[in-house]
Amino acid sequence: MRKLTGLAGSAVALGRSSLGRGAAAMAASATALMLAGAAFAQNAPAAAAPATTQDVPVLGRPIPGGMGFQPAATSIAREQHGLDQLILIIISVIVVFVTLLLLYCAWRFHEKRNPVPAKFTHNSPLEIAWTIVPILILVVIGSFSLPVLFNQLEIPKGDINLKITGNQWYWSYAYTDDQVAFDSFLLPKEKLVQAGYDESDYLLATDTQVVLPVNKIVSVTVTGSDVIHAWYVPAFGVMHSAVPGRLGEFWFKPEKEGIYFGQCTNICGKDHAYMPITVKVVSQEAYDAWLAQAKVDHAADAGPMIERQPAPIAVAPVRLASN
């Protein structure tokens, strides 16, 4: 079951929009990289203490006018980027070949050069070739994409076990092994500089951060409390839908210290655009110090939030029509 839990929420992490590339990448089921907006929290439980001045660089933020992916901060993202480049090369060769073939046919078989067209209707070797070659191309793509997919779905034992709950319109986090839990809200624009962010980080920064140690496996369970949300951090190459009544699973292993931004990618209501994600990756020593303080600051919220079950799915009664 652990292999299957991440499948529903996985999508392809591709930044370019070629139709052939998108279809091939969907077969690969790499994780999606589409930035939506973050969401503004209203009528939510009391927020935790605000973030302090940042002592690590901001690595995972979008760049105005930028193209391509954010720098990979996990092996999952790195594998997706490599797969993307491989598929881009393959489809580029196909596009160039087909374009040249069309131009050659238009020139070679023009009425002036070929006034009397041939009468044959079949060419068995050619028909076999254009059937086998696409099959071989798909086999090559599959041989590289399936290991990437399986690596995402094989959930290893986590050094950190994190439970994420999507709410309208904020995120709740629970470190289930350490009895630490808190809510995370959009950081108001006037408080960005005080918290150590740039003003351009508005709609990306939150008042509390998900703090994680570098080079540790993070095993995540995700659910929703009201409607479907999606937890997505591009630099990690992970996105998973937060579905009420269900627990999804995914994992990642951050390899670089820094701050990484993400956002909810499922339209979840009027404040969907104000529901950001901030993850801070630090050294083990800094994480231990943060965790010790967090156990004091957030101990009161930990029990109810960790024990909170996914919201039940309401099922309407079915009435059979009588004859």
Side-chain angles (χ1 to χ4, degrees), residues 163-285:
K163 181 180 178 181
I164 300 174
T165 303
N167 313 281
Q168 290 182 309
W169 289 271
Y170 63 100
W171 294 99
S172 298
Y173 299 99
Y175 294 71
T176 56
D177 294 333
D178 300 295
Q179 297 297 306
V180 170
F182 53 86
D183 296 325
S184 185
F185 302 94
L186 171 72
L187 190 64
K189 195 168 187 178
E190 60 272 14
K191 295 183 178 180
L192 287 170
V193 175
Q194 177 185 355
Y197 296 105
D198 295 336
E199 291 187 357
S200 60
D201 293 331
Y202 181 59
L203 298 181
L204 295 172
T206 57
D207 60 346
T208 53
Q209 306 160 324
V210 180
V211 180
L212 299 171
V214 69
N215 291 322
K216 297 294 183 181
I217 296 174
V218 182
S219 178
V220 181
T221 57
V222 59
T223 188
S225 66
D226 35 49
V227 299
I228 299 177
H229 304 273
W231 198 87
Y232 166 58
V233 178
F236 294 167
V238 295
M239 188 207 77
H240 204 297
S241 295
V243 182
R246 298 189 179 185
L247 284 176
E249 286 185 294
F250 64 94
W251 74 279
F252 58 91
K253 182 180 178 181
E255 300 172 346
K256 301 176 182 177
E257 294 185 30
I259 293 176
Y260 301 90
F261 294 124
Q263 293 171 312
C264 177
T265 55
N266 275 354
I267 304 297
C268 56
K270 69 181 184 67
D271 285 337
H272 162 71
Y274 304 93
M275 193 171 174
I277 299 162
T278 305
V279 180
K280 183 176 183 179
V281 180
V282 298
S283 66
Q284 184 64 53
E285 294 75 14

Side-chain angles (χ1 to χ4, degrees), residues 7-30:
L7 186 56
S10 295
V12 181
L14 297 178
R16 305 174 181 87
S17 58
S18 168
L19 180 59
R21 183 178 176 203
M26 287 181 68
S29 286

Side-chain angles (χ1 to χ4, degrees), residues 14-318:
L14 297 178
R16 305 174 181 87
S17 58
S18 168
L19 180 59
R21 183 178 176 203
M26 287 181 68
S29 286
T31 314
L33 293 177
M34 240 182 184
L35 200 58
F40 192 78
Q42 294 181 356
N43 300 324
T52 56
T53 302
Q54 310 310 323
D55 51 2
V56 292
V58 177
L59 301 179
R61 66 153 62 101
I63 300 174
M67 298 180 64
F69 301 118
Q70 293 184 13
T74 67
S75 60
I76 292 176
R78 192 163 53 250
E79 289 176 349
Q80 292 171 8
H81 296 182
L83 178 63
D84 174 82
Q85 293 301 317
L86 172 65
I87 295 176
L88 177 61
I89 293 172
I90 292 175
I91 66 174
S92 297
V93 171
I94 293 173
V95 169
V96 171
F97 171 74
V98 172
T99 302
L100 293 177
L101 184 61
L102 287 173
L103 293 175
Y104 172 76
C105 290
W107 174 82
R108 173 64 180 81
F109 299 104
H110 189 272
E111 183 181 7
K112 293 182 180 179
R113 297 180 182 83
N114 192 50
V116 181
K119 303 297 184 181
F120 67 87
T121 57
H122 294 283
N123 186 313
S124 296
L126 183 60
E127 292 170 2
I128 293 173
W130 73 41
T131 301
I132 292 179
V133 171
I135 293 175
L136 294 177
I137 293 174
L138 292 177
V139 169
V140 171
I141 293 175
S143 64
F144 286 95
S145 64
L146 289 178
V148 175
L149 172 63
F150 293 154
N151 184 43
Q152 295 178 48
L153 300 185
E154 290 276 358
I155 311 294
K157 179 177 175 57
D159 300 307
I160 306 295
N161 292 293
L162 182 67
K163 181 180 178 181
I164 300 174
T165 303
N167 313 281
Q168 290 182 309
W169 289 271
Y170 63 100
W171 294 99
S172 298
Y173 299 99
Y175 294 71
T176 56
D177 294 333
D178 300 295
Q179 297 297 306
V180 170
F182 53 86
D183 296 325
S184 185
F185 302 94
L186 171 72
L187 190 64
K189 195 168 187 178
E190 60 272 14
K191 295 183 178 180
L192 287 170
V193 175
Q194 177 185 355
Y197 296 105
D198 295 336
E199 291 187 357
S200 60
D201 293 331
Y202 181 59
L203 298 181
L204 295 172
T206 57
D207 60 346
T208 53
Q209 306 160 324
V210 180
V211 180
L212 299 171
V214 69
N215 291 322
K216 297 294 183 181
I217 296 174
V218 182
S219 178
V220 181
T221 57
V222 59
T223 188
S225 66
D226 35 49
V227 299
I228 299 177
H229 304 273
W231 198 87
Y232 166 58
V233 178
F236 294 167
V238 295
M239 188 207 77
H240 204 297
S241 295
V243 182
R246 298 189 179 185
L247 284 176
E249 286 185 294
F250 64 94
W251 74 279
F252 58 91
K253 182 180 178 181
E255 300 172 346
K256 301 176 182 177
E257 294 185 30
I259 293 176
Y260 301 90
F261 294 124
Q263 293 171 312
C264 177
T265 55
N266 275 354
I267 304 297
C268 56
K270 69 181 184 67
D271 285 337
H272 162 71
Y274 304 93
M275 193 171 174
I277 299 162
T278 305
V279 180
K280 183 176 183 179
V281 180
V282 298
S283 66
Q284 184 64 53
E285 294 75 14
Y287 173 76
D288 292 339
W290 172 86
L291 185 61
Q293 185 61 41
K295 288 181 178 180
V296 176
D297 296 340
H298 310 306
D301 300 329
M305 194 176 297
I306 291 174
E307 296 172 1
R308 185 187 301 166
Q309 297 298 319
I313 300 176
V315 179
V318 178

